[in-house]
């Protein structure tokens, strides 16, 4: 199977956009990810998929916990920043929830402790047990479809 055709096919699945965060020795880190899903209600589990070569992989492994922020449609700039698409240094002011950095004004924020990990192919799946969450009503999500940011109409 052709890698580009497979990637384009997977792009047909619309996803929300998240920023995965953690802190190592009090220093916050984040990365954009759309490979996120809810796994279980009892216990409350979610999964994020992190590339084996991503710096975030070792940071989550070291910290043993992570945050997930569901971005609002007006937070495309933050998604691009944490995806490495914006190269200039921009200082991000994180909000702290349950001692983890999360994105201010995201439509939802979760904090999780690592419950389990699975290395699958070229990614590590981090199963996180949700330790806290908050929701902000009134904003639409940032959506990713066919390799582009989209809005819900």
């Amino acid at each position: 199977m052709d890698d580009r055709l497979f990637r384009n096919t997977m792009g047909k699945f619309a996803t929300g956009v998240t920023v995965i965060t953690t802190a190592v020795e009090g220093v916050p880190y984040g990365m954009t990810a759309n490979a996120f899903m809810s796994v279980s209600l009892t216990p409350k589990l979610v999964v994020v998929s992190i590339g084996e070569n991503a710096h975030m992989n070792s940071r989550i492994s070291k910290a043993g916990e992570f945050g997930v922020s569901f971005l609002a449609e007006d937070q495309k700039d933050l998604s691009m920043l944490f995806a490495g698409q914006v190269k200039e240094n921009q200082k991000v002011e994180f909000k702290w929830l349950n001692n983890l950095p999360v994105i201010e004004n995201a439509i939802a924020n979760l904090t999780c402790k690592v419950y389990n990990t699975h290395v699958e192919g070229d990614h590590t799946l981090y199963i996180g047990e949700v330790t806290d969450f908050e929701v902000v009503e009134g904003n639409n999500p940032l959506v990713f479809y066919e390799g582009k940011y989209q809005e819900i109409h």
Side-chain angles (χ1 to χ4, degrees), residues 60-61 63-66 112-117 126-129:
I60 291 175
S61 181
E65 57 186 357
F66 60 92
C112 306
K113 65 179 179 180
V114 174
Y115 185 83
N116 209 338
T117 61
Y126 287 93
I127 312 297
E129 183 172 13

Side-chain angles (χ1 to χ4, degrees), residues 32-51:
T32 300
N34 63 348
F36 164 84
M37 69 178 209
S38 173
V39 174
S40 170
L41 193 55
T42 306
K44 291 169 182 52
L45 301 176
V46 297
V47 64
V48 295
S49 179
I50 309 291

Side-chain angles (χ1 to χ4, degrees), residues 1-15 34 144-148:
M1 289 184 280
D2 178 72
D3 287 350
R4 173 56 28 204
L5 183 57
F6 180 73
R7 187 177 179 111
N8 291 346
T9 300
M10 293 300 100
K12 295 292 185 184
F13 185 70
T15 65
N34 63 348
F144 201 69
Y145 176 71
E146 291 189 329
K148 300 180 194 111

Side-chain angles (χ1 to χ4, degrees), residues 68-70 95 97 102-103 106-111 132-134:
V68 182
S69 298
F70 303 173
K95 173 180 179 172
L97 177 66
V102 293
I103 302 299
I107 60 174
N109 287 305
L110 310 173
T111 61
D132 203 354
F133 64 93
E134 64 180 8

Side-chain angles (χ1 to χ4, degrees), residues 93-104:
E93 291 296 328
F94 290 96
K95 173 180 179 172
W96 291 81
L97 177 66
N98 201 25
N99 295 317
L100 280 167
V102 293
I103 302 299
E104 184 84 46

Side-chain angles (χ1 to χ4, degrees), residues 118-133:
H118 301 275
V119 176
E120 301 297 340
D122 58 3
H123 279 65
T124 297
L125 305 178
Y126 287 93
I127 312 297
E129 183 172 13
V130 177
T131 56
D132 203 354
F133 64 93

Side-chain angles (χ1 to χ4, degrees), residues 18 24 50 59 91 108 117 147:
T18 69
V24 177
I50 309 291
R59 291 172 178 151
K91 182 150 175 61
T117 61

